[in-house]
Amino acid sequence: MSVLTSNHVLPQMLNSDQSPPCHARRCDPLCLIPSAATMPFGNTHNKYKLNFKDEEEYPDLSKHNNHMAKCLTKEIYKQLRDKETPSGFTLDDVIQTGVDNPGHPFIMTVGCVVGDEESYDVFKALLDPVIQDRHGGYKPTDMHKTDLNHENLKGGDDLDPNYVLSSRVRTGRSIKGYTLPPPLQPWGAPCRGETFHHRLTGEFKGKYYPLKSMTDAEQQQLIDDHFLFDKPVSPLLLASGMARDWPDARGIWGGNMKEVFRRFCVGLQKIEEIFKQAGHPFSWNQHLGYILTCPSNLGTGLRGGVHVKLPHLSKHPKFEEILNRLRLQKRGTGGVDTEAVGAVFDISNADRLGSSEVEQVQLVVDGVKLMVEMEKKLEKGQAIDDMMPAQK
């Protein structure tokens, strides 16, 4: 996942979702020239299941609360259960995390993942309605927009530092022709070639920190500073196979940063050009934008967020409504599944698909500005009814 924050440029991973981009081999995701991969075995387990009737294999989703459970009918299951992608990914692989995890205490989860780019075609009978349900009616005929021209962003350098503590923009990328994290197997030839960070110069030059060789103290410091992902313990990640072989092929690369979105756009394009020159472009198409493991991240894969102090507004009965109207979402200080510490929330864009990178970050900038002004009025004991935003 390429990650750029207000203090560091952090391409934690060039594949999505914190796992290496290669199937049936261990590979540093930052390598330019990966070795060839071979499938060590076929999906005999899935072929065996075809001996049973559709009704016997169809999962009981009556108590589930995720997008997959809403969309997977018995008819769709029957239609897709014998299908598999060239890498061997099956329908049961797609839905496993949603079957194992009926619901989530804070958000409605997607409930499915894909194992490769082809999954979006092979299992489109399920994934199209999941995408439409998750992304606000995004239809199979809709086309995604991409805009990495940072000059199109208005404002963002005038957020009140008394309330806005930090800003960051991050995204994920997958390398075309390689499988995504869930079907990864922990064997195979090591990667051969140089790592991309050696090719970046000037303001993008930094040091690569392989997670496997970090001390516990170094890891914890980077986690506390919000520059490093913690060990994956979420059942959603574990059930989907996206936490395999931790901590191999994980690391961060850092350097100072002044203008978050400018460096995000310019740096990301520089990294993509390096991969294109090596014959490994990012996975992208006009309909789904950048291809990632979880359908929730399709499109830009971008999350632009700020840490902002909102002690009064966060207690207001219309706080959730305000966020929904602004197309924003909140997380705790430490990210998803965490509480806000000192009324500091991580506020970010809710949308990924159908709008551009500039448009999504613009929503964050404009929305946070408005919420800070609301917070100031509430501090003075004033009402904010006249400041309620229209639905974006």
Side-chain angles (χ1 to χ4, degrees):
M1 187 192 313
S2 296
V3 179
L4 291 85
T5 75
S6 58
N7 293 316
H8 284 259
V9 183
L10 304 178
Q12 292 178 346
M13 176 153 329
L14 281 221
N15 196 291
S16 62
D17 304 318
Q18 303 178 355
S19 286
C22 322
H23 182 74
R25 64 198 184 332
R26 189 185 311 282
C27 178
D28 185 332
L30 306 182
C31 286
L32 292 176
I33 311 173
S35 58
T38 56
M39 280 291 291
F41 58 86
N43 268 311
T44 54
H45 64 290
N46 194 62
K47 292 178 172 58
Y48 174 76
K49 292 182 69 174
L50 296 179
N51 294 323
F52 299 91
K53 296 179 179 179
D54 305 327
E55 313 85 70
E56 296 176 296
E57 289 299 301
Y58 179 73
D60 180 5
L61 302 172
S62 59
K63 297 181 180 180
H64 286 58
N65 179 38
N66 56 54
H67 293 287
M68 178 278 294
K70 287 179 61 178
C71 299
L72 183 64
T73 63
K74 290 182 179 179
E75 291 73 25
I76 291 177
Y77 188 81
K78 180 179 180 179
Q79 175 187 346
L80 300 178
R81 66 184 295 240
D82 63 340
K83 304 285 193 278
E84 63 179 65
T85 67
S87 70
F89 213 64
T90 68
L91 176 63
D92 283 349
D93 294 325
V94 170
I95 68 175
Q96 187 69 59
T97 185
V99 173
D100 290 349
N101 299 279
H104 191 280
F106 302 115
I107 57 176
M108 183 174 182
T109 57
V110 175
C112 59
V113 297
V114 302
D116 45 37
E117 186 171 356
E118 293 84 357
S119 295
Y120 286 106
D121 289 324
V122 175
F123 306 112
K124 70 189 310 327
L126 169 64
L127 294 175
D128 277 356
V130 165
I131 291 167
Q132 188 164 349
D133 197 43
R134 168 60 179 81
H135 292 282
Y138 192 82
K139 300 184 293 296
T141 54
D142 288 341
M143 295 296 161
H144 178 68
K145 294 185 287 184
T146 295
D147 183 1
L148 287 170
N149 184 351
H150 61 90
E151 294 181 353
N152 291 334
L153 181 68
K154 298 178 176 61
D157 56 353
D158 54 354
L159 299 177
D160 192 332
N162 294 312
Y163 298 87
V164 177
L165 307 182
S166 65
S167 302
R168 66 199 62 193
V169 182
R170 56 193 180 194
T171 190
R173 289 293 184 266
S174 305
I175 301 174
K176 195 170 188 65
Y178 295 97
T179 61
L180 299 171
L184 176 76
Q185 300 296 335
W187 49 71
C191 179
R192 297 187 298 272
E194 64 178 309
T195 53
F196 88 92
H197 65 278
H198 292 149
R199 308 258 315 260
L200 295 172
T201 59
E203 63 176 321
F204 297 100
K205 186 177 182 179
K207 179 180 179 181
Y208 176 63
Y209 296 88
L211 184 56
K212 191 174 183 180
S213 61
M214 280 187 196
T215 66
D216 291 343
E218 288 173 332
Q219 289 186 37
Q220 191 57 51
Q221 185 61 55
L222 289 166
I223 291 170
D224 292 342
D225 291 340
H226 307 292
F227 296 146
L228 178 65
F229 42 78
D230 201 351
K231 180 178 180 178
V233 295
S234 165
L236 300 174
L237 290 174
L238 298 177
S240 63
M242 290 193 289
R244 293 172 189 251
D245 306 316
W246 179 273
D248 286 357
R250 276 81 166 181
I252 69 168
W253 169 84
N256 292 326
M257 173 173 65
K258 295 179 180 179
E259 300 165 281
V260 179
F261 191 58
R262 180 188 68 82
R263 293 197 66 179
F264 171 83
C265 293
V266 176
L268 191 58
Q269 291 175 85
K270 286 180 179 293
I271 293 170
E272 181 169 20
E273 183 58 32
I274 290 173
F275 272 77
K276 283 182 177 179
Q277 291 173 4
H280 301 293
F282 293 151
S283 297
W284 180 90
N285 67 52
Q286 286 189 319
H287 171 50
L288 298 177
Y290 289 100
I291 304 299
L292 294 166
T293 302
C294 181
S296 66
N297 285 324
L298 289 168
T300 64
L302 179 150
R303 194 170 78 84
V306 301
H307 277 189
V308 55
K309 291 190 295 184
L310 300 171
H312 294 85
L313 184 59
S314 61
K315 296 177 183 177
H316 194 279
K318 292 189 176 180
F319 184 43
E320 293 289 346
E321 182 182 347
I322 292 169
L323 289 168
N324 289 335
R325 289 189 179 198
L326 294 173
R327 302 301 303 154
L328 300 176
Q329 61 184 7
K330 65 175 174 66
R331 297 183 177 187
T333 311
V336 69
D337 288 343
T338 67
E339 298 293 331
V341 177
V344 175
F345 291 86
D346 185 348
I347 304 295
S348 61
N349 53 300
D351 300 321
R352 309 279 190 277
L353 185 60
S355 55
S356 72
E357 290 83 355
V358 170
E359 290 171 324
Q360 291 169 16
V361 175
Q362 192 71 60
L363 284 176
V364 175
V365 169
D366 296 343
V368 168
K369 280 184 181 179
L370 176 62
M371 288 191 289
V372 167
E373 292 306 311
M374 288 179 161
E375 178 67 23
K376 291 178 180 179
K377 289 195 72 171
L378 291 172
E379 286 176 358
K380 300 175 182 178
Q382 301 173 356
I384 60 171
D385 294 345
D386 62 335
M387 300 180 70
M388 287 294 292
Q391 181 65 54
K392 296 290 185 180

